[in-house]
Amino acid sequence: MLAETICSAVAAAGLGIAAITAYRRRFRTAARIAAYSLVPLGLVMTGAVEWAFDTAFSPMAWAGFGVLGAAWLLFLSTRAVDRRRGGRKAADQGGRPDPVAPAASAPSLGQGQRGAAPKPKTAAPAEDFSDIEAILKKHGI
């Protein structure tokens, strides 16, 4: 009963502020204030405030929130384990093997040259990292 009275008073005060704002010819702001002030009144009229009040002081409702929280934690922990183990990846592929072998340098399905000799690797030119080493030594790394 007290919550309904407070919500009604807040709605009345908000409508009064909206009327003053409309008197100052700021109609869009007044309409926005009126909309916000009618929300608590609508919640009282639908019974949502009474339901929330009954829920807040009900031990059974709090036990239900605890069960929902436990279910949520279980769901998140199983998703985290699936992500670490890659279980979702195997389920998405339907048991098919990977298109690239783990130690392969080229894809094993559809790409590459069949029967061709592998290209010889050319030696990369020696790169000079002396400037980078100087910067790292300057910073003590």
Side-chain angles (χ1 to χ4, degrees):
M1 182 88 162
L2 181 64
E4 288 88 356
T5 305
I6 291 172
C7 287
S8 299
V10 167
L15 289 174
I17 293 170
I20 292 170
T21 306
Y23 179 75
R24 294 181 182 170
R25 301 211 181 264
R26 298 175 65 192
F27 297 111
R28 191 170 12 155
T29 305
R32 192 173 295 134
I33 292 171
Y36 282 126
S37 66
L38 289 174
V39 169
L41 186 63
L43 290 174
V44 167
M45 294 173 77
T46 59
V49 173
E50 183 180 343
W51 174 82
F53 186 78
D54 290 341
T55 302
F57 295 108
S58 170
M60 185 63 81
W62 285 107
F65 284 127
V67 169
L68 287 174
W72 181 71
L73 286 174
L74 282 172
F75 177 70
L76 287 180
S77 64
T78 57
R79 285 192 58 171
V81 169
D82 281 347
R83 283 186 184 165
R84 282 186 183 249
R85 292 189 179 166
R88 187 172 214 163
K89 186 170 126 180
D92 287 343
Q93 291 181 352
R96 291 179 293 164
D98 286 339
V100 177
S105 61
S108 59
L109 295 179
Q111 294 181 359
Q113 301 169 355
R114 294 182 183 172
K119 294 181 182 178
K121 293 185 179 180
T122 58
E127 297 182 22
D128 186 23
F129 292 110
S130 61
D131 54 344
I132 295 173
E133 289 176 5
I135 293 171
L136 291 174
K137 285 180 182 176
K138 180 182 173 184
H139 292 288
I141 298 174

